[in-house]
Amino acid sequence: MDTLEFVRVRELEVAVRIWNPSAPRTLIAWHGLARHGGDFSALARELGSEWRILAPDTPGRGLSSWSLFPAHDYLYSHYVTVAIALLDHFKLDHVDWLGTSMGGLLGMLIAADSDHSARISRLILNDVGPELNKQGLIALSSYFGVTHRFSSFSELHQELIQHYASFGITKESAWRELALNSARRLPDGSWTYHFDPRIGEQFVHDTPRDTWADWASIRCPVMVIRGEESTLLDAETLPRMAEAQPTLVTLTVPNCGHAPMLDQSAQVDPIRHFLNRPVPRPIPGSSSQTGTGWHCFWHHPVQWLAHQWRRWWK
């Protein structure tokens, strides 16, 4: 990280980690559920000095504020508000977006929103999509919904290696860096993770929605990266995603689960190639809303919500 900027969004302070601040091109890199922007240091190094990387810490994670009202602030709707405020702060009318897991879903929601879709020029989803494996989601919510306490830093370090083995990290130095950036000391001298354990309440308070409709509404170029052994994004989902987005670019990372760390040239080179592709010019009179878009679902909102609740939680 070359610099760190704090942006106030309503009552919360949001930390934004920045690499190559003077670079001519900008990429928003948004982390997953219980991670933070520091995870993109290797991506910034591999992608090179041409790219300014802006990697926010979502509220409740890393160096950003914890919310006093998790039921209001630890929701995708509020994360969209935070993201748009950051785009405004950095004066980004159009920007490329790469998101891991939760960060990918956030980018997808913005790219599908009729008010903000034009602000995403290209979208890269790292091991996430419009349909997620139910058991994988349950495992995430169960693990990150409670406080983890460790008697020593070494114990936390070993737990990280076990829990994040699917990241595909191979170097001990990378594991040590991940542990250093993930640890927080408690008043009694024990250790825990950097995030607010109440971020897991998102799984209770967030409103289910038809993310396939969001996916179909996206009009910018899209790339999806999937860990070959992912427990969250099933391989069978990719062909369905390509049906709605025929120009979809996909990359499968071998010997990796959820989610690829994007710290190796074999993973970053295809990302660079995708980002260097020209963005197609929009067809005059076209709209980001289609027959499968929001106006269709909100025509009968009560039935829609009931259907989605059963779909997500049955």
Side-chain angles (χ1 to χ4, degrees):
M1 178 177 64
D2 297 314
T3 187
L4 178 68
E5 189 163 339
F6 291 91
V7 181
R8 182 157 292 276
V9 181
R10 296 179 180 174
E11 76 284 359
L12 299 177
E13 187 177 65
V14 180
V16 182
R17 304 166 196 247
I18 305 173
W19 289 267
N20 305 320
S22 300
R25 304 178 68 181
T26 297
L27 175 69
I28 298 290
W30 208 292
H31 61 82
L33 174 67
R35 298 302 309 149
H36 57 68
D39 286 351
F40 295 106
S41 60
L43 171 70
R45 182 174 60 251
E46 289 286 340
L47 203 54
S49 58
E50 180 185 3
W51 287 92
R52 176 177 66 156
I53 307 297
L54 302 180
D57 292 351
T58 309
R61 290 83 164 172
L63 302 175
S64 290
S65 299
W66 288 17
S67 173
L68 297 176
F69 309 99
H72 174 268
D73 291 334
Y74 296 158
L75 305 174
Y76 276 109
S77 58
H78 187 250
Y79 299 156
V80 169
T81 298
V82 171
I84 297 303
L86 294 180
L87 295 183
D88 291 342
H89 175 82
F90 289 101
K91 298 179 172 57
L92 298 170
D93 293 328
H94 310 283
V95 70
D96 297 317
W97 182 292
L98 181 152
T100 294
S101 196
M102 181 191 74
L105 288 178
L106 177 58
M108 190 175 79
L109 295 180
I110 296 172
D113 185 270
S114 58
D115 294 329
H116 305 299
S117 60
R119 304 192 76 163
I120 306 295
S121 300
R122 301 175 185 83
L123 176 63
I124 302 173
L125 306 182
N126 184 21
D127 211 58
V128 75
E131 184 171 313
L132 303 177
N133 182 282
K134 183 170 62 176
Q135 294 304 317
L137 281 174
I138 292 174
L140 282 177
S141 63
S142 299
Y143 187 82
F144 293 117
V146 298
T147 300
H148 295 268
R149 189 183 298 268
F150 307 95
S151 60
S152 66
F153 179 83
S154 296
E155 185 180 335
L156 182 148
H157 186 192
Q158 290 303 312
E159 171 69 11
L160 276 173
I161 292 175
Q162 294 180 24
H163 185 77
Y164 290 109
S166 60
F167 275 23
I169 298 173
T170 57
K171 296 181 180 178
E172 175 57 32
S173 59
W175 281 119
R176 179 56 60 92
E177 181 180 359
L178 186 72
L180 288 172
N181 291 333
S182 300
R184 175 170 58 90
R185 195 150 205 166
L186 295 170
D188 65 358
S190 62
W191 294 86
T192 189
Y193 294 134
H194 64 92
F195 56 83
D196 181 354
R198 298 191 69 180
I199 61 173
E201 295 181 18
Q202 174 179 339
F203 291 96
V204 176
H205 299 301
D206 224 337
T207 302
R209 59 190 286 159
D210 189 343
T211 45
W212 279 110
D214 295 320
W215 176 252
S217 298
I218 295 173
R219 291 295 175 266
C220 67
V222 188
M223 176 180 186
V224 175
I225 302 167
R226 179 182 179 272
E228 184 181 35
E229 301 165 7
S230 176
T231 56
L232 202 63
L233 180 61
D234 294 334
E236 295 78 10
T237 304
L238 293 181
R240 293 182 60 197
M241 294 173 68
E243 288 178 7
Q245 298 288 345
T247 61
L248 177 67
V249 176
T250 61
L251 170 67
T252 298
V253 180
N255 304 314
C256 187
H258 182 78
M261 199 64 181
L262 309 181
D263 58 349
Q264 304 170 26
S265 58
Q267 300 170 24
V268 178
D269 286 346
I271 292 173
R272 182 186 297 105
H273 179 74
F274 175 78
L275 292 173
N276 285 332
R277 295 173 56 180
V279 176
R281 299 182 65 180
I283 300 174
S286 65
S287 170
S288 63
Q289 289 184 318
T290 68
T292 58
W294 275 110
H295 67 283
C296 175
F297 285 94
W298 284 109
H299 183 64
H300 298 292
V302 176
Q303 293 91 330
W304 179 82
L305 286 172
H307 170 73
Q308 295 312 315
W309 184 262
R310 292 193 299 270
R311 178 174 176 266
W312 278 43
W313 300 108
K314 65 181 180 179

